[in-house]
Amino acid sequence: MVEAVGNNLGRKPAQASADAGYCSELNLEALVARGIDGLVSHLDAPSIRPRQPGKVGGPLTQLIAKKIDDGGFETPYRCESKWVEPVFGQIKEARGFRQFVLRGIEKVRAEWAMICTAHNLLKLFTLAKAA
């Protein structure tokens, strides 16, 4: 993924964040080798199960865990869950949208645009009602 970002932007990213599914010594070594500051969640990472009390994975995993934990609310990784994922959760759960009805890329794009518009209008309505 980091290589794809580099190819699309014409330069490598300075920093990358990822979920626990990407937390492995091999992935962290690849980030270090590329000179990228990695913020990869170490919590419940499959590569570090079963957990030993007081120890989290290998040396790079421990370093990442310390960096994220020491950063507290200032670390950029803390903001990751506040960006896009809640919107998809709200659309799936609160709006009940689980699958597209239409077929074909153009029709799906139009359907998605309508769903997003409805979601945004409902959010605005809720905010206006509260004010």
Side-chain angles (χ1 to χ4, degrees):
M1 184 59 85
V2 170
E3 287 181 19
V5 169
N7 291 338
N8 288 335
L9 296 178
R11 60 179 173 79
K12 68 179 180 182
Q15 191 176 65
S17 65
D19 291 334
Y22 295 97
C23 186
S24 71
E25 287 293 306
L26 188 62
N27 284 342
L28 296 174
E29 286 171 7
L31 288 174
V32 170
R34 288 176 173 86
I36 297 171
D37 180 27
L39 293 168
V40 183
S41 176
H42 60 286
L43 302 174
D44 298 320
S47 62
I48 59 174
R49 286 187 192 131
R51 277 203 172 157
Q52 298 172 1
K55 183 171 181 176
V56 179
L60 288 175
T61 305
Q62 291 177 26
L63 185 65
I64 291 292
K66 183 171 176 19
K67 181 169 41 170
I68 291 172
D69 293 344
D70 288 351
F73 290 104
E74 299 300 317
T75 181
Y77 188 82
R78 292 273 190 188
C79 298
E80 183 178 291
S81 64
K82 295 178 183 82
W83 295 336
V84 176
E85 292 174 7
V87 175
F88 290 121
Q90 290 167 1
I91 288 173
K92 286 173 72 176
E93 293 299 321
R95 313 282 178 249
F97 180 77
R98 294 286 179 175
Q99 66 186 31
F100 291 98
V101 176
L102 304 173
R103 298 293 172 249
I105 192 73
E106 292 303 318
K107 291 178 183 176
V108 166
R109 282 185 180 151
E111 187 177 355
W112 183 245
M114 287 188 284
I115 290 162
C116 291
T117 300
H119 173 77
N120 289 333
L121 287 172
L122 286 167
K123 295 283 264 186
L124 287 171
F125 176 75
T126 304
L127 290 171
K129 194 173 163 183

